[in-house]
Amino acid sequence: MLDVVKRLPEQIEEALKIKTDFVFEGIKNVAVSAMGGSAISGDIVQHFSKLPFFIIRDYYLPPYIGKDTLFIAISYSGNTEETLACFKEALKRNCKTIAITSNGMLADEAENKILIPSGMQPRAAIAYLLFPLINLLRRNGIVSINCEEALYLLKSERNKIEELARKIAYEIKGFPIIYGYGILASIAKRWRQQFNENSKMMAFDFALPECNHNEIEAWEGIVEGVTCIFLRGVENERVKIRFDFMKKIYSKKAKVIEVHAYGKDDFSKAMYALFLGDLASVYMAERNGVDAEPVNLIKKLKEELQHSRSSS
Ligand code: PA5
């Protein structure tokens, strides 16, 4: 897993070359239907969308998804049942549909599709799940994101990011709780998912300012066995005050690691933080003595769901 994760910049270069030349007319909103490692790319691009942008992690489409929706089904395996259910419903509602997938039923059933390389763990295929999506949205005038700047940053900072990731992994005591604001809240979610799946450990994520209206009160009670990780670098002056206040309170009961996301723009900062978190989760797996690659329980549950479908 470490070798695959380290190759993120090269994967981005390859992903940017994938053909995405689909142009749709009359789009009024965008919906990304996806789960887990396939859904996080939707979370990231949502921050840059010029149109209302919805992420659907469910079997059902909300009523406002219709013929003016650009509906993007993203599933690395192409066999995720929630995404397939939404895809079928989107076709019925005459949405403008397109799929991003490597394989499976989604590849078979979608007329408009962006095919990405197969044979990886979905979460390790982030470059292929994110950058073709960005190119599709750029082509349709929905986002303006400077991918090239982010790529340059990751390539030139790779060694330093790797060193920092290892340091963070070896500093964590107990369960990590990751906090972020704006696009870095989506990256905090990615860190949490990567600690869960790669490092096989409990982890939590919270978004500012919302967590200042609830989670903060938990720090009045017993807090043990956690390390807080603050993802900083995109916040405004008001949110800076919030982070500084939290640091004062939280560091009385837990170790607080502050990570500064570098980059010339918010997208580059997000990619910097994502690369760092992905690497940290793999080093954490090493520390936990587990194999980062397999996700046995996710697989078992999917098999059970599949079995119940075929026997009903
Ligand atoms: O990381 C993983 O393996 C999972 O979170 C999957 O991405 C999730 O189960 C959805 O599967 P897929 O990405 O194949 O649609």
Side-chain angles (χ1 to χ4, degrees), residues 35-38 74-78 80 121-123 197 295 298 302:
M35 301 301 299
S38 288
I74 308 181
S75 169
Y76 185 72
S77 62
T80 297
Q121 286 291 336
R123 60 196 183 282
E197 293 183 58
V295 277
I298 295 176
K302 285 184 180 179

Side-chain angles (χ1 to χ4, degrees), residues 17-126:
K17 290 185 196 141
I18 292 173
K19 262 182 87 170
T20 57
D21 45 5
F22 293 88
V23 176
F24 298 90
E25 300 296 329
I27 304 166
K28 297 219 173 101
N29 58 62
V30 182
V32 165
S33 164
M35 301 301 299
S38 288
I40 202 77
S41 52
D43 289 318
I44 295 171
V45 295
Q46 183 185 34
H47 293 274
F48 301 94
S49 179
K50 296 171 191 165
L51 291 176
F53 197 107
F54 311 105
I55 297 156
I56 299 153
R57 291 176 161 94
D58 203 342
Y59 289 89
Y60 308 102
L61 293 184
Y64 48 78
I65 304 299
K67 63 175 181 41
D68 300 326
T69 302
L70 172 60
F71 177 91
I72 310 169
I74 308 181
S75 169
Y76 185 72
S77 62
N79 288 325
T80 297
E81 64 175 34
E82 300 94 316
T83 311
L84 287 170
C86 288
F87 177 71
K88 283 198 180 109
E89 178 62 20
L91 289 176
K92 270 196 211 148
R93 292 193 200 177
N94 289 321
C95 296
K96 304 164 205 313
T97 54
I98 182 158
I100 300 179
T101 185
S102 74
N103 212 330
M105 283 159 72
L106 195 57
D108 291 344
E109 287 172 23
E111 196 178 316
N112 300 323
K113 56 192 156 212
I114 297 170
L115 287 173
I116 59 177
S118 60
M120 304 172 78
Q121 286 291 336
R123 60 196 183 282
I126 180 73

Side-chain angles (χ1 to χ4, degrees), residues 88-209:
K88 283 198 180 109
E89 178 62 20
L91 289 176
K92 270 196 211 148
R93 292 193 200 177
N94 289 321
C95 296
K96 304 164 205 313
T97 54
I98 182 158
I100 300 179
T101 185
S102 74
N103 212 330
M105 283 159 72
L106 195 57
D108 291 344
E109 287 172 23
E111 196 178 316
N112 300 323
K113 56 192 156 212
I114 297 170
L115 287 173
I116 59 177
S118 60
M120 304 172 78
Q121 286 291 336
R123 60 196 183 282
I126 180 73
Y128 303 106
L129 294 162
L130 175 60
F131 285 85
L133 173 66
I134 294 175
N135 270 344
L136 172 74
L137 295 172
R138 288 205 286 201
R139 194 168 282 259
N140 284 275
I142 296 164
V143 299
S144 328
I145 294 177
N146 189 344
C147 300
E148 294 68 24
E149 177 62 41
L151 175 60
Y152 172 76
L153 176 77
L154 297 197
K155 269 192 150 173
S156 53
E157 293 295 303
R158 175 171 16 211
N159 292 344
K160 283 191 204 143
I161 295 174
E162 205 184 328
E163 212 174 292
L164 181 57
R166 180 187 274 276
K167 186 168 170 279
I168 291 171
Y170 281 83
E171 273 180 15
I172 292 171
K173 290 192 176 58
F175 301 137
I177 313 182
I178 309 101
Y179 299 81
Y181 166 74
I183 191 166
L184 294 183
S186 298
I187 302 301
K189 187 193 285 177
R190 168 76 176 182
W191 278 54
R192 191 262 299 160
Q193 294 174 345
Q194 295 290 74
F195 281 127
N196 295 155
E197 293 183 58
N198 289 339
S199 332
K200 318 297 190 256
M201 72 193 296
M202 193 51 78
F204 305 91
D205 69 280
F206 290 100
L208 278 77

Side-chain angles (χ1 to χ4, degrees), residues 213-232:
H213 299 270
N214 32 70
E215 184 266 356
I216 197 169
E217 278 303 318
W219 291 83
E220 286 273 49
I222 299 167
V223 181
E224 277 171 0
V226 298
T227 295
C228 300
I229 303 174
F230 291 178
L231 301 185
R232 303 200 55 173

